[in-house]
Amino acid sequence: MTRKRILITGAAGFLGSHLCDRFIKEGYHVIGMDNLITGDMKNIEHLMPLEHFDFYHHDVSRYIHIPGELHYILHFASPASPIDYLKIPIPTLKVGSLGTHNCLGLALAKGARMLIASTSEVYGDPVVHPQNEDYWGNVNPVGPRGVYDEAKRFQEAMTMAYHTFHGVETRIVRIFNTYGPRMRLNDGRALPAFIGQALRGEDITVFGDGSQTRSFCYVDDLIEGIYRLLMSDYAQPVNIGNPDEISILDFAKEIISLTGTDQKIVFKPLPKDDPKQRKPDITRAKEILGWEPTVDRQEGLKKTYAYFKSLPEEDLYKYAHPRDFK
Ligand code: UDP
């Protein structure tokens, strides 16, 4: 059997590594690429011995060379949490822009179909709720999130241009907050921050008054949505996320009851431009892909907590200081 060959950028990251697993399972030859700035080889070390997995330690913002045939490209390389892109703003801008351009050039040269990881951040601090794909967003280009949001907006524009001008087969997924095993404990996101704090016996830090909302999708659901979108013939953006919306304060309380601890909640200043509400309208994903989430938050959180608890204890203390936006 000749296997289809797929390049996955950001392969050692949270989503990239789950995608590698999925495409190995589907019988593909997977080429993983990562510069390991935010990725971790631990996420893919189980794949390294496999005959049908290759790993390239490479920064996709520089020219990409892949020998041989290539059928698909999934561009998932990017810092993806607010604390990461505050720490490394320029690589964040580069991977969304130059990295995407390099991947699209490669897709054109190889005749590959390419799917890019876009984000609900393209909607910024949305004034339309829930967000559907026709909403153009409310983004502050020069705020702290601008480096991520604008890179991703540029990424979508560049991808559409390669589609319309060069005829490259492209797919755009707009990913809403996703959680699950292999999230980084120190990435500053609400879920790993709260679970890490609970496991260390620290106060839970809620930013602002906690009335801002998010809608959390379990990683397995997201991967299924991405798989279906890649296999579809639909080139317009598609939201993939779980519409079950919750305030961050209630979410913190859920984590406290999940971990069975009696942590105190402390309130910290709300970071600049932190979106007040976020919930995907998934009508398009339902209609075009027949997709909707199947894992509810209670079940997903249990699995995620089990993962974090299984990590070596020293990892908890390496990451003892979540972001502080004073
Ligand atoms: N948040 C919080 N405490 C933390 C980390 C995050 O209250 O220790 C809030 C953050 O301000 C935001 C929400 O949780 O309103 C989700 O943050 P996250 O970084 O997970 O993702 P975002 O959706 O903002 O990109």
Side-chain angles (χ1 to χ4, degrees):
M1 179 179 95
T2 34
R3 290 177 181 246
K4 297 269 187 209
R5 288 161 55 88
I6 184 166
L7 169 67
I8 302 179
T9 76
F14 167 43
L15 298 182
S17 65
H18 284 282
L19 286 165
C20 289
D21 286 345
R22 174 67 187 254
F23 282 89
I24 286 286
K25 215 170 102 203
E26 297 287 342
Y28 286 69
H29 184 98
V30 175
I31 301 161
M33 186 171 281
D34 207 299
N35 66 359
L36 300 176
I37 291 189
T38 58
D40 189 334
M41 285 305 286
K42 267 197 223 142
N43 292 334
I44 48 169
E45 68 190 0
H46 59 288
L47 300 175
M48 296 301 277
L50 302 184
E51 188 190 345
H52 292 294
F53 182 75
D54 297 326
F55 180 71
Y56 288 47
H57 184 193
H58 179 70
D59 181 347
V60 293
S61 299
R62 294 169 51 210
Y63 184 84
I64 307 167
H65 174 70
I66 301 284
E69 281 190 297
L70 201 56
H71 303 93
Y72 297 100
I73 301 174
L74 301 181
H75 183 33
F76 275 70
S78 178
S81 83
I83 195 163
D84 284 343
Y85 40 82
L86 280 175
K87 270 197 267 176
I88 40 175
I90 294 169
T92 302
L93 278 159
K94 284 169 76 175
V95 74
S97 54
L98 306 181
T100 301
H101 191 204
N102 288 336
C103 288
L104 283 164
L106 183 66
L108 177 62
K110 301 279 186 183
R113 180 181 299 177
M114 170 153 154
L115 180 146
I116 57 153
S118 188
T119 163
S120 55
E121 284 284 329
V122 300
Y123 303 124
D125 188 3
V127 297
V128 165
H129 193 73
Q131 295 76 54
N132 65 35
E133 292 87 348
D134 295 330
Y135 176 48
W136 293 349
N138 176 35
V139 170
N140 175 3
V142 293
R145 289 175 182 251
V147 294
Y148 184 65
D149 300 5
E150 295 296 1
K152 290 293 188 180
R153 289 169 68 95
F154 175 89
Q155 177 184 50
E156 289 197 9
M158 179 68 109
T159 299
M160 263 306 154
Y162 265 68
H163 177 66
T164 50
F165 185 74
H166 286 306
V168 173
E169 286 187 31
T170 55
R171 308 286 178 263
I172 299 174
V173 58
R174 290 188 181 149
I175 300 170
F176 283 65
N177 293 66
T178 301
Y179 68 99
R182 302 186 191 152
M183 279 187 108
R184 258 170 47 229
L185 253 179
N186 67 341
D187 81 353
R189 290 192 163 276
L191 182 139
F194 293 166
I195 292 187
Q197 288 161 344
L199 288 173
R200 290 188 300 269
E202 294 170 4
D203 295 340
I204 306 288
T205 54
V206 166
F207 297 157
D209 62 6
S211 63
Q212 70 275 27
T213 67
R214 294 294 187 272
S215 308
F216 295 96
C217 183
Y218 188 63
V219 63
D220 290 356
D221 280 332
L222 180 92
I223 299 298
E224 178 62 27
I226 290 169
Y227 184 79
R228 289 190 193 195
L229 178 60
L230 182 68
M231 296 308 152
S232 78
D233 59 3
Y234 193 73
Q236 294 297 313
V238 179
N239 288 341
I240 299 285
N242 188 324
D244 186 6
E245 185 181 12
I246 184 171
S247 76
I248 292 301
L249 182 57
D250 286 343
F251 188 58
K253 290 178 184 162
E254 273 191 10
I255 303 278
I256 293 172
S257 79
L258 168 83
T259 56
T261 51
D262 55 359
Q263 258 52 57
K264 216 168 65 219
I265 291 178
V266 294
F267 294 91
K268 296 254 178 170
L270 189 68
K272 186 168 162 37
D273 297 339
D274 197 288
K276 285 179 277 306
Q277 51 183 1
R278 181 181 290 154
K279 169 183 169 159
D281 178 334
I282 57 166
T283 310
R284 188 176 282 183
K286 279 187 189 160
E287 282 174 9
I288 293 181
L289 311 175
W291 177 89
E292 62 184 320
T294 60
V295 181
D296 68 21
R297 206 167 46 245
Q298 210 190 352
E299 186 189 344
L301 283 180
K302 253 196 224 149
K303 291 185 183 169
T304 309
Y305 181 50
Y307 166 77
F308 281 121
K309 262 208 336 208
S310 75
L311 296 176
E313 208 187 328
E314 75 231 33
D315 283 11
L316 278 177
Y317 290 92
K318 256 193 254 165
Y319 305 137
H321 300 288
R323 68 180 158 180
D324 187 353
F325 276 93
K326 267 196 232 70

